[in-house]
Amino acid sequence: MPNCLLVDDDEMSRRTLEELIKKIKNWKLIASCSNVIEARDHLQNYSIDVLFLDVEMPDITGLEFLKMLTDTPEVVIVSSKEKYALDAFEYEVTDYLLKPVSPERFLKTVTRIENRLASDNENYSTADSVFVKANNQVVKIMLQDILWVEAYGDYVSIFTDKDRYVIHATMKGIEGKLPSDQFLRVHRSFIIRVDKINAIEDTLIVIGKKLIPIGESFKTELMSRLKFL
């Protein structure tokens, strides 16, 4: 049962989405908020799986709010304007809905999210390995061999020294299956194995020949995990 959070300062749009969400079997609307300050409290107090988020809101915009989040659920931007779409997808949002949202288009989003969440359950982990469904088979990957994990739209790639495994999953789902004492989310699109870091150059992590960006909201946690002489 996905827990949903809706954030939109337009009452009419908010009411429309509330009704659409309530019609979906097994989906639960935790709260409907008119601003991101109120939404932040719900994100801290509840496990939110899906966030429906407007862009143009007073004080703090939807995109500014996304910059602050480190534990990001499935995010669906809901806006009356197309011009924010490019910026939104740089944040690896799940979908972008234009107002007024039609029931048909909303159902497509629901199906996409349910498929992504279901895929997370196909992957599981043990103390020293993770099993993932890739290329129509279940593959065992040793945790010590993983260099980094990278998001690509509806897919996630797991990189090792020798291979790349592309799986249908979410970053949040993969992050939840990797031990937090070994792996760290450093960007919306990247999870790294901490002991594979070769160097840090300003806002970039170097692992082998790969340069991985450090998200602003993830920087403090990264630096606290490093041991300095």
Side-chain angles (χ1 to χ4, degrees):
M1 179 183 289
N3 289 334
C4 305
L5 179 63
L6 170 58
V7 191
D8 193 333
D9 66 323
D10 185 288
E11 184 175 359
M12 184 67 71
S13 296
R14 198 166 65 248
R15 299 303 178 205
T16 298
L17 270 176
E18 287 174 9
E19 292 304 314
L20 288 172
I21 294 170
K22 289 175 182 178
K23 289 179 181 179
I24 303 302
K25 185 179 180 180
N26 294 328
W27 282 46
K28 183 178 181 181
L29 181 61
I30 297 298
S32 180
C33 309
S34 61
N35 60 76
V36 300
I37 303 299
E38 183 183 351
R40 181 175 176 272
D41 292 336
H42 289 292
L43 281 169
Q44 291 177 336
N45 295 321
Y46 295 92
S47 176
I48 301 298
D49 303 296
V50 185
L51 172 63
F52 292 92
L53 183 64
D54 187 18
V55 176
E56 293 184 330
M57 290 184 287
D59 300 323
I60 302 174
T61 70
L63 295 183
E64 288 172 340
F65 185 46
L66 283 183
K67 291 180 182 179
M68 303 175 187
L69 301 181
T70 54
D71 185 15
T72 311
E74 298 291 300
V75 178
V76 179
I77 294 295
V78 186
S79 176
S80 59
K81 298 177 182 178
E82 295 183 10
K83 66 179 183 178
Y84 299 112
L86 185 60
D87 289 337
F89 282 109
E90 288 184 358
Y91 287 94
E92 296 290 333
V93 301
T94 305
D95 211 343
Y96 194 99
L97 297 178
L98 283 175
K99 299 177 183 179
V101 179
S102 69
E104 295 79 11
R105 182 64 181 84
F106 180 75
L107 282 176
K108 287 184 178 180
T109 297
V110 168
T111 299
R112 184 178 187 184
I113 291 173
E114 288 181 338
N115 288 339
R116 284 166 61 88
L117 295 178
S119 296
D120 288 340
N121 294 327
E122 295 178 340
N123 309 308
Y124 58 97
S125 60
T126 65
D128 60 0
S129 64
V130 60
F131 289 82
V132 299
K133 189 174 181 180
N135 300 324
N136 297 318
Q137 60 180 335
V138 176
V139 181
K140 178 181 180 179
I141 307 172
M142 301 304 295
L143 294 179
Q144 64 184 12
D145 294 335
I146 298 175
L147 301 176
W148 75 87
V149 180
E150 186 172 353
Y152 293 93
D154 285 347
Y155 294 87
V156 170
S157 289
I158 299 177
F159 289 84
T160 67
D161 277 324
K162 298 179 180 179
D163 297 293
R164 171 191 175 191
Y165 302 91
V166 180
I167 62 176
H168 195 262
T170 68
M171 287 293 279
K172 185 174 183 180
I174 294 297
E175 184 179 15
K177 292 177 172 61
L178 296 174
S180 59
D181 61 330
Q182 300 175 47
F183 293 87
L184 182 65
R185 185 87 170 262
V186 296
H187 187 276
R188 294 182 185 280
S189 302
F190 290 93
I191 298 170
I192 63 162
R193 184 173 172 92
V194 178
D195 63 3
K196 300 294 185 180
I197 297 175
N198 297 121
I200 296 178
E201 300 176 357
D202 194 18
T203 58
L204 294 172
I205 293 170
V206 182
I207 297 181
K209 295 182 179 179
K210 177 70 174 181
L211 299 179
I212 296 173
I214 303 170
E216 187 61 35
S217 58
F218 299 88
K219 193 170 185 178
T220 300
E221 176 65 17
L222 170 63
M223 299 312 289
S224 70
R225 291 282 296 272
L226 302 179
K227 295 181 179 179
F228 293 90
L229 293 178

